[in-house]
Amino acid sequence: MKIYQVEELVGITKKNIRFYEDEGLLNPDRNPENGYREYSLKDVQKLQKIKLLRKLDVSLENIRLMMNGKMSFEEAMNHQISELEKKQKDGELMIQFCHKLKTEISDLTKLNAENYLFEMQKMETEGTKFVDIEKQDISRKKKSGAVIAAVVISITVLASLLPAVIVLLKNPTTRIPGIIMMILMIVLVAGIAVVLQQRIKEINGGEEYDARKY
């Protein structure tokens, strides 16, 4: 089957499927006639396993070790349970920190962030993990960039074609070409919207950024 079929079956973007291939987690066969990838039911099942494990935040490295027979499934689950328990503890500590701030600070203007950041840094050296602001900010920046690019391109398309469409529609002898051009303009803008939606979906998936952790 083709990659778009796999994308629909598993619910993983084509970009992430390629990403897993680059990571060596998936190796589909190639069509000897054209060199295109031919995905099998086994590949789909493997991607479903990867999707499940990644949703549980199992690292790519541990997935790779399991697939290569260097780590048992039980070992991987025990490791992940330990990691999730650690994150749960971190979450509880963050809640406690928020209560502390609420109790000690009455207004944002009175917040001495430097002192609390120093306290956070000390907690981090002891193993506590706070939110990865780099990941949050990078995702937000990517989304903003994608939206701005889509808007700019759409405006450019409209500014370039709309005057010509209006002129053609006003003249009875060129009305049909005008309608065709107008339809083309609508299709182009709709295509830009679809690409934007797909890009935001990929950014929300986060797998590109997650690769940096392993």
Side-chain angles (χ1 to χ4, degrees):
M1 66 185 78
K2 304 302 181 184
I3 192 167
Y4 73 89
Q5 295 172 304
V6 178
E7 183 181 27
E8 291 175 359
L9 281 172
V10 185
I12 294 177
T13 64
K14 289 182 280 190
K15 196 163 188 175
N16 270 2
I17 293 172
R18 296 277 191 255
F19 169 70
Y20 293 135
E21 290 176 23
D22 293 340
E23 288 294 311
L25 300 178
L26 190 70
N27 297 289
D29 292 331
R30 297 271 184 171
N31 187 316
E33 294 181 2
N34 54 32
Y36 293 163
R37 294 171 176 83
E38 291 287 348
Y39 296 89
S40 64
L41 181 59
K42 186 176 179 180
D43 292 322
V44 170
Q45 292 170 342
K46 185 177 285 189
L47 275 170
Q48 288 171 332
K49 291 176 184 178
I50 293 170
K51 181 180 179 180
L52 170 64
L53 293 169
R54 291 298 289 133
K55 277 184 170 290
L56 293 172
D57 204 23
V58 177
S59 71
L60 296 173
E61 181 57 31
N62 281 353
I63 294 174
R64 187 181 294 107
L65 289 172
M66 279 190 284
M67 288 185 171
N68 293 335
K70 296 180 180 179
M71 175 184 279
S72 70
F73 185 73
E74 183 180 2
E75 287 173 334
M77 289 300 99
N78 284 336
H79 179 271
Q80 197 57 20
I81 289 169
S82 176
E83 288 294 308
L84 292 173
E85 287 175 345
K86 176 66 171 58
K87 287 183 178 180
Q88 184 179 33
K89 183 181 177 182
D90 290 340
E92 291 169 356
L93 288 172
M94 281 192 277
I95 291 171
Q96 291 174 17
F97 205 95
C98 287
H99 279 299
K100 174 183 172 70
L101 287 172
K102 185 180 74 170
T103 303
E104 297 180 358
I105 307 298
S106 60
D107 188 86
L108 180 63
T109 59
K110 298 177 182 178
L111 174 61
N112 187 335
E114 185 177 2
N115 290 342
Y116 288 105
L117 284 170
F118 180 79
E119 189 175 343
M120 276 185 169
Q121 187 177 10
K122 183 180 177 183
M123 291 172 68
E124 286 176 331
T125 59
E126 294 170 353
T128 302
K129 287 187 178 180
F130 291 94
V131 173
D132 187 342
I133 59 172
E134 183 182 1
K135 179 178 180 178
Q136 298 282 355
D137 292 345
I138 285 175
S139 295
R140 191 176 294 109
K141 186 177 179 180
K142 283 184 176 180
K143 287 180 185 178
S144 299
V147 171
I148 291 170
V151 170
V152 169
I153 294 171
S154 297
I155 291 173
T156 302
V157 169
L158 291 172
S160 301
L161 299 180
L162 192 57
V165 169
I166 293 172
V167 170
L168 291 172
L169 290 175
K170 285 182 176 179
N171 190 331
T173 61
T174 59
R175 188 163 293 163
I176 292 177
I179 293 172
I180 293 172
M181 187 174 288
M182 182 175 66
I183 293 171
L184 176 62
M185 182 175 64
I186 293 170
V187 170
L188 285 172
V189 173
I192 292 168
V194 170
V195 171
L196 173 62
Q197 184 181 26
Q198 183 68 19
R199 180 56 185 151
I200 290 176
K201 183 180 176 183
E202 289 174 353
I203 293 169
N204 287 335
E207 203 63 289
E208 293 175 87
Y209 178 90
D210 288 339
R212 296 166 54 188
K213 297 189 296 185
Y214 309 109

